[in-house]
Amino acid sequence: MGSKDVMTTFAERDIRQYFSEFDGWNIAPITGVQSPVGLYRASRNRLYHEEVAFIAVSFDPIPENECITALDALPSSRGSRVKKFLLTPQATDTSFVPPHVQVLLMKAFAFADGDLVWLTKKKNARQYACAPAAPAPEPVTTPATPTS
């Protein structure tokens, strides 16, 4: 039995949510390509053409250049509409990602204070606030009117 990294399992689940089998997508990992990131190919047949999506998975706070290079090195087949995607945790700095690569955000992971955190829905999970909460306003009291 082979072991699979749990982070890869969550990434594949997110890919299946973005490229649903109900919409006709077939998803498979790309093997035989030397890459520091996980690469996937999603494809579906349309009436007159085939749609192909190449997805690279990165767990880095700033996606490395090798990730984009690995996507660009993948061949585009004739008669297909090929799009390229980068699946990355929430709050990742994607300012260096070129415009031809669309960014998809993971639902299970995010960066908080520079650390990769798992976004869990468990009852006793630690919550990470995006902004500090504002103090509660003080209650307004009206002065009592003297009675004569």
Side-chain angles (χ1 to χ4, degrees), residues 13-14 24 30 38 52 54 56 65 69 105 115-116 132:
R13 185 185 70 180
D14 284 339
I30 297 175
V52 176
F54 291 118
N65 194 27
T69 306
L105 298 178
D115 295 327
L116 182 65

Side-chain angles (χ1 to χ4, degrees), residues 128-137:
Y128 292 94
C130 294

Side-chain angles (χ1 to χ4, degrees), residues 16 34 68 82 105:
R16 283 192 306 273
Q34 295 296 328
I68 304 301
V82 177
L105 298 178

Side-chain angles (χ1 to χ4, degrees), residues 16 24 30 70 77 79 85 98 106 113-114 117 119 124 144:
R16 283 192 306 273
I30 297 175
S77 56
F85 297 91
M106 293 180 183
D113 300 325
V117 294
L119 302 175
N124 297 321

Side-chain angles (χ1 to χ4, degrees), residues 54-103:
F54 291 118
I55 305 112
V57 179
S58 173
F59 287 98
D60 297 323
I62 300 173
E64 295 184 11
N65 194 27
E66 290 88 15
C67 183
I68 304 301
T69 306
L71 272 177
D72 288 337
L74 294 173
S76 59
S77 56
R78 294 183 148 206
S80 314
R81 293 186 180 174
V82 177
K83 292 187 179 179
K84 298 183 180 183
F85 297 91
L86 174 65
L87 181 67
T88 185
Q90 298 176 28
T92 300
D93 181 11
T94 58
S95 60
F96 298 108
V97 176
H100 71 277
V101 176
Q102 296 178 16
V103 176

Side-chain angles (χ1 to χ4, degrees), residues 36 63 76 89 125-126 142-143:
S76 59
R126 184 174 171 191
T142 57

Side-chain angles (χ1 to χ4, degrees), residues 139-145:
V140 178
T141 58
T142 57
T145 56

